[in-house]
Amino acid sequence: MALYAIGDLHLHFQSELKAPGQLRDRVWKNHEEKFRKNCEKLITAEDTLVLIGDHSWGKNLSECEQDLQYICDLPGRKILTRGNHDMFWDAKKTKHLNDLYQPRLTFLQDSYEVYHDYALVGTKGYTFEGPFWLDRRGRIVDWDEAEEAHAKKLVERELARLRTSFELAQADGYRKYIMFLHYPPTNILEERSGFTDMAEEFGAEQVIYAHSHGESRFHDSIHGEFRGIMYHLASGDYLRWHPLKILD
Ligand SMILES: [Fe+2]
Ligand SMILES: [Fe+2]
């Protein structure tokens, strides 16, 4: 029995592909097939796979049906969290998705799931990476304050959702946590954030995040141990479509 995670499948069986990099970069060529084969080699019916956002390019649920069916057909128990491109998933209507897909898929939002004596908690998160303007030496020379104010609201909303997830698990007696985000826990300018602080507050053992694509973005946030917590990037292209093992 094992717990695995990966993010950013960016499936598009029924929808238009919107990321040009996904056409050019070899790592994305037939990635659905590579990933399916890797899962079939690695994951058994007793295992759990957490898919941490950006599941589909589809604009609505009907454009995502084949993408979600592909995920249903992967081995093991599947838990999904939201990514920034998951237009089919309104956070306030998560119950509707669970009504449609459980027990084949579980959509985690303002809730938690159990793996052994661990609570699996999470939300989409948010990292504000600008807009700022840099000079030739990479120094910040200007900043859009209206955008920053908007971003702060998004961060607060996501932190509240994450706290709900932790507190529900805590109220049910769980004391061991694995925390999942779609966005990296910090932006490229931060060492800490509200998300790393919350992971520390509740004593999460690991924080798993995705969203960073391409070699130039893989090191935007924390890798490895930081203040007693293990951080792992699990975007699909970073992992070359091999699910990351989180726990035995
Ligand atoms: Fe993505
Ligand atoms: Fe993303």
Side-chain angles (χ1 to χ4, degrees), residues 8 10 53-54 83-85 182-183 210-213:
D8 297 281
H10 285 289
D54 286 359
N84 55 309
H85 290 295
H182 173 70
Y183 279 96
H211 181 73
S212 297
H213 298 299

Side-chain angles (χ1 to χ4, degrees), residues 27 29 41 75 81 99 245:
V27 72
K29 201 165 187 311
K41 269 187 240 163
T81 65
D99 288 345
K245 194 178 200 181

